[in-house]
Amino acid sequence: MTKPPFLPKEQPTTFVRSLGFAWAGLIHTVVHQRNMRLHIIAALLVGLVGSAIELGLAEKAILIFCVVLIFFAEMLNSALEQLVDLAIQEFDEKARLTKDIAAAGVLVLALGSMVIFAAILVHDADVIFRDVAVIERQVLFGVPLAFFGGALMHESHKPLALDAVFALGAFGTWALTTTWTESYVMSAMLFGLLVVCAAAAGARRQARRQAAKRQ
């Protein structure tokens, strides 16, 4: 069957465009879901710990997998919420239960990941506390790094200059931590998370500009 001539011609979906759609979905979740922002801050702290401790390959893989799994669950939960809101235009008890159960799934994953993280810390306690100076250094740089990332994602209206300061602070602090990192994989994960934080700040700013034009 041929398409009616009045229908617009669909553009082919290339792999690059698909990646763009996926990236837009990720940033949208960060901008509009507070829990996703909290997960990213927690992932930053996990990455800081993983980059400072001499962990084995299996432990690194488990930590990264936990982070990715929580992100996936939160995005899936957000997509389900959007779908329920689209299908149900008024209050419905089953719709509420659907959202609550999906949110509970994310909570279970988050709690399980915290237990796994704690188990790894306990297992490697000798390595962690072997050099207190390393812990102090990681806290000294880790707290500002997490702060800058969280500030970039924060929903408050900020001037462009302030977002630029937060971005420079975040990536500058990250660059310093790479000079003593024990895992370039964890450092790369930290960099990716900071890119997401900066992209969320840019998307929020763009949304405000578009809203101002419509007024």
Side-chain angles (χ1 to χ4, degrees), residues 9-103:
K9 184 178 180 181
E10 295 182 0
Q11 295 183 352
T13 302
T14 63
F15 178 70
V16 175
R17 289 187 67 201
S18 298
L19 289 179
F21 295 148
W23 175 257
L26 170 61
I27 301 305
H28 181 275
T29 307
V30 175
V31 170
H32 295 280
Q33 296 294 331
R34 180 187 59 186
N35 288 343
M36 186 65 174
R37 297 193 290 272
L38 294 176
H39 292 323
I40 289 180
I41 293 175
L44 286 171
L45 298 176
V46 170
L48 286 165
V49 172
S51 63
I53 304 172
E54 297 179 11
L55 298 176
L57 177 60
E59 294 167 321
K60 294 177 187 176
I62 290 172
L63 288 178
I64 294 174
F65 180 75
C66 287
V67 169
V68 172
L69 190 61
I70 291 175
F71 285 179
F72 170 76
E74 186 62 48
M75 286 185 284
L76 193 63
N77 178 46
S78 300
L80 183 61
E81 287 182 354
Q82 297 289 330
L83 183 60
V84 170
D85 290 340
L86 180 63
I88 307 297
Q89 299 299 327
E90 58 186 16
F91 176 79
D92 186 274
E93 182 65 18
K94 291 183 179 180
R96 184 188 67 81
L97 286 175
T98 299
K99 290 183 177 182
D100 290 348
I101 293 171

Side-chain angles (χ1 to χ4, degrees), residues 2-214:
T2 58
K3 293 183 178 180
F6 55 83
L7 289 179
K9 184 178 180 181
E10 295 182 0
Q11 295 183 352
T13 302
T14 63
F15 178 70
V16 175
R17 289 187 67 201
S18 298
L19 289 179
F21 295 148
W23 175 257
L26 170 61
I27 301 305
H28 181 275
T29 307
V30 175
V31 170
H32 295 280
Q33 296 294 331
R34 180 187 59 186
N35 288 343
M36 186 65 174
R37 297 193 290 272
L38 294 176
H39 292 323
I40 289 180
I41 293 175
L44 286 171
L45 298 176
V46 170
L48 286 165
V49 172
S51 63
I53 304 172
E54 297 179 11
L55 298 176
L57 177 60
E59 294 167 321
K60 294 177 187 176
I62 290 172
L63 288 178
I64 294 174
F65 180 75
C66 287
V67 169
V68 172
L69 190 61
I70 291 175
F71 285 179
F72 170 76
E74 186 62 48
M75 286 185 284
L76 193 63
N77 178 46
S78 300
L80 183 61
E81 287 182 354
Q82 297 289 330
L83 183 60
V84 170
D85 290 340
L86 180 63
I88 307 297
Q89 299 299 327
E90 58 186 16
F91 176 79
D92 186 274
E93 182 65 18
K94 291 183 179 180
R96 184 188 67 81
L97 286 175
T98 299
K99 290 183 177 182
D100 290 348
I101 293 171
V106 180
L107 177 62
V108 169
L109 280 175
L111 292 176
S113 298
M114 290 175 59
V115 172
I116 292 173
F117 184 61
I120 291 175
L121 292 182
V122 172
H123 181 267
D124 293 291
D126 294 338
V127 177
I128 296 173
F129 295 102
R130 185 170 55 195
D131 193 346
V132 179
V134 172
I135 300 176
E136 294 176 348
R137 180 187 61 193
Q138 209 67 1
V139 171
L140 180 64
F141 287 88
V143 172
L145 182 64
F147 168 78
F148 288 135
L152 280 170
M153 296 185 292
H154 198 270
E155 55 198 17
S156 62
H157 182 69
K158 304 183 294 293
L160 179 60
L162 188 57
D163 272 342
V165 170
F166 289 149
L168 288 174
F171 288 103
T173 306
W174 170 83
L176 288 174
T177 63
T178 60
T179 60
W180 61 72
T181 182
E182 295 290 342
S183 172
Y184 287 107
V185 173
M186 287 292 184
S187 293
M189 185 182 78
L190 282 173
F191 180 80
L193 291 171
L194 292 178
V195 169
V196 171
C197 294
R204 194 184 297 278
R205 186 171 299 280
Q206 183 179 5
R208 287 199 176 102
R209 285 198 300 265
Q210 293 175 349
K213 289 180 181 179
R214 290 193 296 266

